[in-house]
Amino acid sequence: MERRKVNHRPAVFIDVDGTLFLHKSKRINKPLLAKIKEKQGVIDFVLWSARGRKYAETFAKTAGIDELFFAIVPKPTCIIDDLGRNWSKNITINAFE
């Protein structure tokens, strides 16, 4: 039986609006940003937004934090995986406020 390699370096996907950027206060979520900086190099952080990649890139560059992210992407509208719906059993979803 072929043994599958498992990525042991976590990847954390972070949303822009309402998560990293708090619209009510019009500020960056400083506790979340501190966690990202603390874990940089140990965790691959990916920034995403339902508004698209350009929006997320512009936000990150304007805030001067684009270098903290492994990638900046649009929020996925479809996930294709050999595990089907079971892919989500391998992830944790957290609301960080």
Side-chain angles (χ1 to χ4, degrees):
M1 176 190 282
E2 181 182 327
R3 195 173 172 124
R4 289 186 173 191
K5 293 181 181 178
V6 177
N7 178 11
H8 292 286
R9 182 174 172 142
V12 175
F13 287 66
I14 300 172
D15 183 45
V16 174
D17 293 324
T19 304
L20 187 55
F21 181 69
L22 305 173
H23 286 280
K24 289 181 182 177
S25 63
K26 297 186 179 184
R27 295 179 189 207
I28 289 181
N29 184 335
K30 289 184 181 179
L32 177 55
L33 186 59
K35 286 281 187 189
I36 293 167
K37 288 178 177 179
E38 173 187 316
K39 299 294 184 179
Q40 187 183 17
V42 178
I43 297 173
D44 289 332
F45 291 100
V46 178
L47 186 65
W48 72 4
S49 175
R51 293 185 185 193
R53 179 180 51 82
K54 289 279 188 196
Y55 173 80
E57 283 177 344
T58 300
F59 167 79
K61 285 179 184 175
T62 301
I65 59 173
D66 54 314
E67 295 297 322
L68 296 176
F69 297 96
F70 175 78
I72 299 176
V73 300
K75 189 171 241 176
T77 55
C78 177
I79 295 173
I80 299 171
D81 192 297
D82 65 312
L83 297 176
R85 292 178 188 261
N86 290 325
W87 75 271
S88 63
K89 290 182 180 178
N90 297 323
I91 65 167
T92 302
I93 299 173
N94 293 315
F96 192 98
E97 297 178 18

